[in-house]
Amino acid sequence: MKKITSEQLRNLYIDFFKSKGHSQIPSASVIPENDPTVLFTTAGMHPLVPYLLGEKHPQGNRLTDFQKCIRTGDIDEVGDNSHCTFFEMLGNWSLGDYFKEKMIPYSYEFLTSEKYLGIDKNKIAVSVFAGDETVPRDEESAKLWHECGIDKKDIYFLPRKNNWWGPAGTTGPCGPDTEMFIKVKEKCGENCSPACDCGAFLEIWNDVFMAYNKLSDGAYADLKQKNVDTGMGLERTLCVLNEKKSVFDTDLFEDALKKLEELTGKKYEESAQITKAFRVILDHVRTSVFMIGDEKGIVPSNVDQGYILRRILRRAIRFARQIDLQENGILEIAKVFIQKYKNVYPELAKNENKIKTEIAKEYQKFTKTLEAGLKEFEKTVSKLDGETIDGLTAFHLFDTFGFPLEITKELAGEKNLKVDEEGYKKAFYEHQQKSRAGSEQKFACGLADHQEATTNLHTATHLLHAALKQVISPDICQKGSNITAERLRFDFNLDRPCTKEELENVENLVNSIINKDVPVVMQEMTVDEAKNKNYVGLFENKYGQKVKTYKIGDFSKEICGGPHANSTGELGQFKIVKEQSCGAGIRRIKAILIK
Ligand code: SER
């Protein structure tokens, strides 16, 4: 197989789809804008949910990109060959344009053409959906693959468990898929298939034929349009094409790994323990760099995304201690990643100082209590009656010594002990109820659905944002937003509580705009135009392409994907129901509309 670098793979993918009439769109933030059910952007399609549901995309109906993704469901598994908490996904979309008839030949051409990946067609296997009571067997995809040149014996029909994708959160677009694999060794037996975990087949690409919308009651509705959503994991594909043992052996990690060897005087493959420590540090530092350096900038905290960042950083710090890597060493590794990625993700270079400061702050905070916490852990173990550390003790290690649960679990595991996780969660929950400091509750920055009530609250959110700027400070900006049909929730930067008077003024100002029944006007324009016209929004990485903007008289101007009410008169009366702290320097307002 052709050897290929990360840069070449990104470029080949984008070039191929551009040559097929797709527009390149920029990677969105790692915090999803449109999904209240998850903390992070977990797939390339995530930022495109509104468009898959039928909103018009300003760049057209054929799109391609590479997207920053974060999956933290299995932090404690990082250290093996394949788990990464951060990854990039290459993707292309048809928004109600072409379907299987074009996508399968496109996939075949990209994989096999000498101009692109040049993979021998006999090394490729594919899977297609076997069908069930709701969606029929995908004979069409199988036929298309065969017509392209894939041998029938390499086409596998697999059930929903394997060949159905989505939704990315708990509701949203989904559908049957066809997946592409490289055959890397002989099958383990007659019944071996891509569904088998013997390692004979390694998946590199997934084409989803998105024709359904999973609703909150679990039912599947037909989508307004039939879409194609594809995703190719950059790390994994690089690893397979270059025949590397793990993602940590690809060029993405090469410089950081060398630096780590240089700083510690240890060799990556010296022992299983060192290999694991290296991998944990490399993965977690890279993810921290992308979280802090993101255009929506996450900082370590005890809530939401900030808490995931804290857990990742602290786990890296604990492993760094094992190989005598200090604060400066971790910062050096962060610097290498910024260097490696800054041409592709310019926000990292822009936020370099912030990345270093936040990592250093967290390092100092955690190392202050780490030693004492480890002693406390040893004390607990020496007094332990049985094999399980109780939940309250695990919570005490978190609350007093800053040990996230997985650190306690890992320390316990090293001594063949268990932790009562349910008890920990209970203690955490009780504490959370008391202090109102959230933990891993879901955080959102977007709309739960497109019902009228939700859409109206979305428009009210824009009015609230503008009113806060007028009443409190022009520096106020959005830090998060979550909208359901019942209420809006808006987080913004302010290092003190709002006064009663400020809240009243904000409420009155919003209601005055509602009472004037001002039209909400959508206009597409380039980012530069939007900037010049003082629209609020994230300007980074937009390649000077067109974006959607929403304007409410001269009162509010935002770059936004929509949807919105037609005019403010539709909203009803605006009422703030709560104002509270939501982490350091962040306030949260909850508000409703009364009809
Ligand atoms: N959404 C699909 C995936 O994540 C294809 O992009 O695999």
Side-chain angles (χ1 to χ4, degrees), residues 42-45 71 89 93 165 203 206 208 210 229-232:
T42 55
M45 56 74 73
R71 289 186 190 169
M89 198 174 253
W93 292 271
W165 198 92
E203 188 206 328
N206 183 11
V208 187
M210 249 169 200
D229 150 45
T230 94
M232 177 185 273

Side-chain angles (χ1 to χ4, degrees), residues 12 25 93 132 213 223 229 265 330 348 456 580:
L12 282 175
I25 55 166
W93 292 271
D132 59 15
N213 184 15
L223 279 177
D229 150 45
I330 296 182
L348 299 186
N456 286 345
Q580 65 193 106

Side-chain angles (χ1 to χ4, degrees), residues 208-224:
V208 187
F209 302 119
M210 249 169 200
Y212 303 93
N213 184 15
K214 187 171 182 193
L215 306 173
S216 48
D217 62 4
Y220 291 93
D222 285 342
L223 279 177
K224 271 194 212 150

Side-chain angles (χ1 to χ4, degrees), residues 377-554:
F377 178 81
E378 292 301 331
K379 212 166 90 192
T380 306
V381 170
S382 67
K383 286 196 289 194
L384 199 66
D385 189 15
E387 289 180 350
T388 307
I389 295 175
D390 68 275
L392 214 56
T393 304
F395 179 69
H396 173 63
L397 282 167
F398 166 70
D399 197 34
T400 311
F401 301 99
F403 279 30
L405 181 63
E406 57 269 315
I407 291 195
T408 304
K409 261 169 63 186
E410 261 174 335
L411 289 169
E414 285 163 17
K415 296 188 183 298
N416 290 325
L417 299 171
K418 288 197 176 66
V419 179
D420 172 12
E421 290 186 46
E422 282 311 308
Y424 171 87
K425 279 185 202 149
K426 195 165 159 261
F428 205 140
Y429 179 74
E430 279 163 10
H431 171 82
Q432 190 182 331
Q433 289 301 95
K434 276 187 226 144
S435 69
R436 303 214 119 265
S439 65
E440 297 180 272
Q441 84 242 28
K442 302 298 183 202
F443 179 88
C445 297
L447 275 65
D449 54 50
H450 287 187
Q451 290 178 45
E452 192 186 316
T454 318
T455 306
N456 286 345
L457 280 159
H458 187 197
T459 305
T461 304
H462 280 215
L463 295 178
L464 169 64
H465 190 180
L468 287 167
K469 278 181 185 291
Q470 271 197 28
V471 173
I472 300 179
S473 153
D475 296 331
I476 296 278
C477 66
Q478 173 169 343
K479 288 291 174 190
S481 160
N482 171 302
I483 304 165
T484 68
E486 285 77 39
R487 55 107 187 103
L488 69 84
R489 200 175 83 189
F490 185 76
D491 299 343
F492 56 99
N493 55 320
L494 186 67
D495 53 10
R496 59 167 177 85
C498 301
T499 65
K500 196 163 162 261
E501 199 190 346
E502 280 168 342
L503 292 176
E504 264 170 33
N505 289 342
V506 166
E507 214 172 73
N508 291 340
L509 187 53
V510 171
N511 280 321
S512 75
I513 305 293
I514 292 177
N515 293 337
K516 281 186 199 147
D517 195 11
V518 184
V520 182
V521 181
M522 195 281 281
Q523 210 193 339
E524 288 180 9
M525 60 180 81
T526 64
V527 173
D528 286 337
E529 267 176 87
K531 237 187 223 175
N532 290 338
K533 292 183 176 160
N534 293 327
Y535 276 80
V536 174
L538 290 166
F539 294 110
E540 266 112 307
N541 275 346
K542 304 267 187 200
Y543 301 119
Q545 290 167 335
K546 287 204 161 174
V547 289
K548 271 171 128 176
T549 64
Y550 283 88
K551 178 171 177 302
I552 308 173
D554 281 327

Side-chain angles (χ1 to χ4, degrees), residues 280-311:
V280 169
I281 294 166
L282 292 173
D283 174 82
H284 289 7
V285 173
R286 183 176 71 148
T287 304
S288 303
V289 163
F290 274 95
M291 283 188 182
I292 306 168
D294 189 79
E295 44 277 51
K296 285 193 185 158
I298 303 167
V299 293
S301 76
N302 277 347
V303 288
D304 307 323
Q305 286 93 344
Y307 184 50
I308 304 280
L309 169 60
R310 167 157 288 164
R311 284 162 55 193

